[in-house]
Amino acid sequence: GCMHWHNTDNNDKYFVFFYKTDKYTGKLLESTDEGKVFFTSVESLKDMKLAPNFNRYMYYSKVAKEVYALYTDNVEPFGLDECWVDVSKSKSLFGQDTLIAKEISGRIKKETGLTLSIGVSFNKVFSKIGSDIKKPDAITVIDSIHYKDILWPMPTRTIIGVGRSTEARLKSLGI
């Protein structure tokens, strides 16, 4: 998830941080450095004197989408803070997909101060998984040659839409 907080106790400073918590315990599993400063679990959020600023969050999302649009018109939003950005037809203008990913990441960091985790792959599902593998501020490539080496050892729950029940069913089928 992503949280954007306006901290009135810290010189009115704004913070944006990304985090991942355990779905059941609320324990913080990973976070950007900014997030680690603020909380160790979802429970600790209750004690903070921070107020979410949805407008500011949407502003950063809009800026990111504007940067994506500089490289392609094929941008598909996935939630509020993620997009699939198909640059397959942009390579002749901007170079290989990993180079484009580096440019996008650098530009957004320069314009907003935010880091991105980008997955580069030959399909949307694998690029989403790639974006989750390394955080924050990383580019993970899952290509058509090595995808089995990267993805096959991962739990089936890594796939978008696979939750506890589906994971259990897949395990019972030997998958």
Side-chain angles (χ1 to χ4, degrees):
C2 171
M3 293 221 172
H4 174 260
W5 297 99
H6 176 203
N7 185 344
T8 56
D9 288 346
N10 191 5
N11 301 321
D12 225 28
K13 189 171 181 181
Y14 285 93
F15 298 93
V16 176
F17 54 89
F18 297 86
Y19 67 94
K20 182 176 182 181
T21 56
D22 182 277
K23 189 176 188 176
Y24 306 103
T25 66
K27 181 179 177 190
L28 183 69
L29 300 176
E30 60 185 76
S31 175
T32 55
D33 291 339
E34 296 86 354
K36 288 176 186 170
V37 168
F38 286 109
F39 65 96
T40 55
S41 72
V42 172
E43 288 300 310
S44 66
L45 288 172
K46 293 176 186 174
D47 299 326
M48 291 195 299
K49 295 179 181 176
L50 300 170
N53 186 325
F54 187 73
N55 290 334
R56 199 81 176 139
Y57 179 81
M58 291 308 297
Y59 165 78
Y60 285 114
S61 181
K62 180 178 178 274
V63 170
K65 289 174 185 171
E66 288 170 356
V67 170
Y68 304 151
L70 296 173
Y71 295 88
T72 181
D73 60 354
N74 196 348
V75 177
E76 182 182 343
F78 181 67
L80 293 175
D81 62 352
E82 294 184 280
C83 291
W84 280 293
V85 181
D86 183 348
V87 296
S88 58
K89 295 180 181 173
S90 305
K91 292 178 186 179
S92 61
L93 292 172
F94 301 108
Q96 290 302 312
D97 44 17
T98 52
L99 177 62
I100 295 171
K102 287 177 186 175
E103 284 186 28
I104 288 172
S105 179
R107 189 172 196 145
I108 289 176
K109 186 185 269 188
K110 181 180 177 187
E111 292 184 23
T112 67
L114 298 176
T115 60
L116 298 182
S117 294
I118 299 174
V120 176
S121 192
F122 57 96
N123 71 49
K124 292 192 294 188
V125 173
F126 292 176
S127 66
K128 169 62 177 140
I129 293 169
S131 74
D132 289 336
I133 289 176
K134 295 179 194 167
K135 290 185 181 276
D137 200 18
I139 297 171
T140 302
V141 177
I142 301 176
D143 62 31
S144 60
I145 297 169
H146 301 101
Y147 72 96
K148 290 181 182 179
D149 298 331
I150 297 168
L151 300 174
W152 271 215
M154 298 177 91
T156 54
R157 198 172 206 173
T158 305
I159 301 169
I160 299 169
V162 175
R164 266 192 323 191
S165 298
T166 304
E167 181 181 42
R169 178 72 176 129
L170 291 170
K171 278 185 181 179
S172 75
L173 297 171
I175 299 174

